[in-house]
Amino acid sequence: MARTSGPMIEVMQATLLVLAGGESRRMGRPKAWLEVGETTLLRWMVERLGPAFSEVVVSFAEPEQLEELVFDRKRASGPLAGIEAGLIAARHEVTFAIACDMPYVTRGVAEMAVAAARGCDAAMPRVDGRAEPVCAAYTRSALPVITAALDGGHRRAADLAARLDVTWLEGLDPEIFRSLNTLEDYERFHDAFAAQR
């Protein structure tokens, strides 16, 4: 019997959805293509979390950003449109959506969210009373609610929780959910990454 070195990774029958369509106004350039070592932030996120999932989908806002992936049905509608596109494309009942600019989120958080989402519309972290809809697991039952919200002109992903049956993930370290919103945020992350190599 062949032996493999290193720890075995339990692969979840779930979809990883990386949201990479943000406008990046504060950063000044697309976050997905920021350098992380010898790769990009998007590829680094996929390589870091993807092995735990049996399917990986990346959602972009515009076809010009990249070809042959999933694109938002409603343009300029924020991450909610990316979540909708990913749920439509996903082969699995549960999809874990993560913004590509949240590099501190761990595989453990993803696994916890996927497990908690079974039996409800979504499992969402709540940090200091604030929902984290772009780091949450969604089931297919959330799709009609998301589509109706978008068709009704509601674009804020944070307002979504009130319309869904949500299992809240509480007591998690707030640092995990920090986003790379500014050049300073990115430089801090990049310096810490370089120091670990």
Side-chain angles (χ1 to χ4, degrees), residues 59-107:
S59 175
F60 286 93
E62 303 287 342
E64 297 77 46
Q65 289 178 299
L66 201 68
E67 294 179 14
E68 298 179 20
L69 289 167
V70 176
F71 301 106
D72 299 352
R73 176 179 65 91
K74 285 208 172 274
R75 300 286 165 81
S77 294
L80 200 54
I83 294 168
E84 179 197 44
L87 284 172
I88 289 169
R91 292 195 322 256
H92 296 289
E93 173 66 20
V94 179
T95 296
F96 179 72
I98 179 76
C100 74
D101 67 346
M102 297 181 80
Y104 303 105
V105 172
T106 63
R107 186 176 293 161

Side-chain angles (χ1 to χ4, degrees), residues 43-60:
R43 184 173 291 280
W44 184 81
M45 289 287 288
V46 168
E47 289 174 353
R48 185 165 175 256
L49 296 175
F53 292 84
S54 55
E55 179 184 42
V56 176
V57 172
V58 178
S59 175
F60 286 93

Side-chain angles (χ1 to χ4, degrees), residues 22-177:
E23 293 181 17
S24 307
R25 280 187 225 116
R26 285 185 281 175
M27 184 69 70
R29 54 184 167 153
K31 296 176 187 177
W33 311 127
L34 292 172
E35 292 177 15
V36 177
E38 296 176 9
T39 188
T40 62
L41 181 58
L42 173 58
R43 184 173 291 280
W44 184 81
M45 289 287 288
V46 168
E47 289 174 353
R48 185 165 175 256
L49 296 175
F53 292 84
S54 55
E55 179 184 42
V56 176
V57 172
V58 178
S59 175
F60 286 93
E62 303 287 342
E64 297 77 46
Q65 289 178 299
L66 201 68
E67 294 179 14
E68 298 179 20
L69 289 167
V70 176
F71 301 106
D72 299 352
R73 176 179 65 91
K74 285 208 172 274
R75 300 286 165 81
S77 294
L80 200 54
I83 294 168
E84 179 197 44
L87 284 172
I88 289 169
R91 292 195 322 256
H92 296 289
E93 173 66 20
V94 179
T95 296
F96 179 72
I98 179 76
C100 74
D101 67 346
M102 297 181 80
Y104 303 105
V105 172
T106 63
R107 186 176 293 161
V109 169
E111 290 170 346
M112 180 191 310
V114 167
R118 303 194 189 275
C120 61
D121 295 327
M124 201 173 292
R126 185 160 48 191
V127 180
D128 297 328
R130 193 181 76 246
E132 294 287 351
V134 293
C135 177
Y138 296 89
T139 59
R140 288 193 193 283
S141 62
L143 183 56
V145 179
I146 293 169
T147 298
L150 286 167
D151 288 346
H154 304 285
R155 295 175 38 195
R156 279 179 41 89
D159 296 338
L160 185 64
R163 301 164 187 248
L164 297 173
D165 175 17
V166 176
T167 296
W168 293 106
L169 307 177
E170 308 270 10
L172 297 168
D173 181 358
E175 292 296 301
I176 292 172
F177 304 100

